[in-house]
Amino acid sequence: MKKFLILPAVIMLLGSLAGCAKQPAAEEESEIPQLIESTAPILAAGDTVTIDNTCEFHVNQIEITEHPEYYYDARQGKTYVDFCITYQHLADYNINADQIMEGKLIYSGLYEYGFDGIVQEEEEPVTWNRAHTIEMKQSDTRQIHYFFTVPKELQESTRMVELHVNIRGNDYRIIVRDGETGIVPGREDSSTSVKDSGDVADGEIVVTDNMEFYVEYSEFTRDVIPPNRGSGYNHYAAEDGTILLDLCIACTNRGTEKITANKAVVSADLKQAEASTHAAEENNRSTFESPSLVNILPLCTEYIHCIFQLPEDMATNDEPLTISFKVDGNKYTYTVK
């Protein structure tokens, strides 16, 4: 299969059972995840903390927003929690700004999200730099934003949102919003089904232990192109005498931690295919990336493509085609024709 790229660089895409013979098997019970809790002191907007001979920092703001000022908008289906501090370095040695803070955002007491550390320069016009590129000397002061990418539903939800952070060796807890904790319910309607194998029908949303998925479409095409392609994108073109079969699966991570897309859909097989390619959509469905490089955040949805190269007449003949694929460790089938 020939791969054509319109980018400056080539992107390679690439419960156990227990029992006893003398006793009936016990019915399995679903494990209830433990809430993530912290007893660290609470920080609030406006608080100033001094750590002797190390630093002084002031909490500027904690904001949930899709459109931060001077920064790029959140991607489709997501929003940001922006935690901003003004940090003064007091130690007599230099550090990079990415050494200041570690931490995670906790949503509903269970779901974990990481951050990007972005330094806002004070000069006009305002500029943004990645924290690892900024070296801080003694008495240097910087305004640092930590953007936690989270599902858009968090913005309208009333569930609990907290930050658990460690700043220069000291633990703190930031209460963004008080609220309910526990598992966030998935979709429950006539289109959903709970099963660990079997055929997946068009429009059917399948719920597994850790995922929620559906087949968005399957199509024969000479060229697999991302849905929202912009000025620069990569795509897959069929070789002479062949046709491509593109199966697109929408996967929602119902687990509490991020996973890579290649661990969501781990295989896809079609006996008539010469080869298969897996690709995940990225940047608001505008380009393709290797599934191993695309994270599916908790409660977020990403789109994964299984691309098969077939003889050209397979698109029009009467030979049946059924794709077998695995999601969340379970094997399913989808009938193309």
Side-chain angles (χ1 to χ4, degrees):
M1 194 189 315
K2 296 179 182 176
K3 181 170 67 173
F4 296 82
L5 299 178
I6 309 178
L7 284 177
V10 176
I11 300 178
M12 298 298 294
L13 298 177
L14 188 211
S16 63
L17 296 175
C20 176
K22 297 181 180 180
Q23 298 178 356
E27 185 176 337
E28 288 190 15
E29 295 183 2
S30 299
E31 290 187 6
I32 299 175
Q34 296 295 309
L35 295 179
I36 301 169
E37 299 178 325
S38 171
T39 58
I42 294 175
L43 281 181
D47 286 353
T48 297
V49 175
T50 301
I51 304 174
D52 290 343
N53 302 315
T54 301
C55 67
E56 180 175 286
F57 63 90
H58 175 82
V59 180
N60 296 334
Q61 67 178 33
I62 308 155
E63 182 181 18
I64 303 175
T65 176
E66 293 178 64
H67 312 289
E69 189 175 10
Y70 305 119
Y71 194 53
Y72 61 79
D73 290 348
R75 293 176 179 175
Q76 179 179 354
K78 301 177 179 69
T79 191
Y80 294 116
V81 174
D82 175 11
F83 175 55
C84 176
I85 64 173
T86 297
Y87 181 90
Q88 183 179 22
H89 183 56
L90 301 180
D92 58 2
Y93 53 86
N94 299 349
I95 64 169
N96 285 345
D98 64 343
Q99 297 174 280
I100 290 170
M101 188 180 97
E102 298 176 349
K104 56 191 175 183
L105 180 143
I106 309 299
Y107 175 50
S108 196
L110 295 174
Y111 304 91
E112 300 183 34
Y113 304 86
F115 65 83
D116 283 331
I118 310 295
V119 178
Q120 178 179 317
E121 299 289 359
E122 296 178 356
E123 294 83 1
E124 294 291 344
V126 173
T127 58
W128 294 91
N129 293 281
R130 294 289 177 182
H132 72 272
T133 68
I134 301 297
E135 184 179 53
M136 298 191 68
K137 302 176 182 179
Q138 189 173 25
S139 297
D140 280 353
T141 300
R142 293 285 188 274
Q143 190 175 90
I144 304 176
H145 290 251
Y146 297 93
F147 289 103
F148 294 82
T149 302
V150 296
K152 190 175 179 179
E153 73 164 49
L154 181 148
Q155 195 151 6
E156 302 300 327
S157 168
T158 59
R159 289 178 172 269
M160 179 271 276
V161 182
E162 289 188 354
L163 305 181
H164 296 178
V165 304
N166 182 289
I167 299 177
R168 303 295 288 146
N170 293 269
D171 291 327
Y172 303 97
R173 181 163 63 104
I174 297 97
I175 300 174
V176 182
R177 182 176 65 212
D178 278 321
E180 182 184 357
T181 59
I183 295 173
V184 176
R187 188 186 314 203
E188 294 183 5
D189 56 39
S190 59
S191 65
T192 62
S193 58
V194 179
K195 59 185 181 183
D196 56 14
S197 64
D199 193 54
V200 177
D202 286 326
E204 180 183 11
I205 299 169
V206 178
V207 179
T208 70
D209 288 343
N210 303 296
M211 301 293 296
E212 195 175 272
F213 75 90
Y214 62 92
V215 174
E216 186 179 49
Y217 63 83
S218 67
E219 65 176 3
F220 291 99
T221 179
R222 295 282 304 166
D223 202 1
V224 178
I225 299 174
N228 297 331
R229 62 188 185 276
S231 58
Y233 63 94
N234 57 342
H235 63 124
Y236 291 86
E239 296 178 354
D240 292 342
T242 68
I243 194 78
L244 300 181
L245 173 58
D246 178 21
L247 177 73
C248 178
I249 304 175
C251 290
T252 302
N253 179 7
R254 303 302 307 183
T256 57
E257 298 181 359
K258 68 181 179 183
I259 61 170
T260 52
N262 63 317
K263 292 183 179 179
V265 179
V266 296
S267 67
D269 300 301
L270 183 65
K271 67 179 182 180
Q272 297 93 337
E274 288 185 10
S276 65
T277 297
H278 290 77
E281 295 177 8
E282 184 62 301
N283 295 334
N284 289 334
R285 310 193 71 178
S286 67
T287 191
F288 291 124
E289 179 60 279
S290 166
S292 64
L293 301 178
V294 175
N295 289 320
I296 310 180
L297 299 177
L299 308 180
C300 290
T301 302
E302 303 295 346
Y303 299 85
I304 303 167
H305 292 250
C306 305
I307 304 168
F308 300 90
Q309 183 172 259
L310 299 166
E312 202 164 20
D313 65 350
M314 290 296 295
T316 55
N317 66 27
D318 295 331
E319 182 176 352
L321 282 178
T322 299
I323 299 174
S324 299
F325 60 94
K326 285 185 178 180
V327 175
D328 196 21
N330 301 325
K331 190 170 184 178
Y332 301 92
T333 55
Y334 176 78
T335 301
V336 179
K337 64 174 183 171

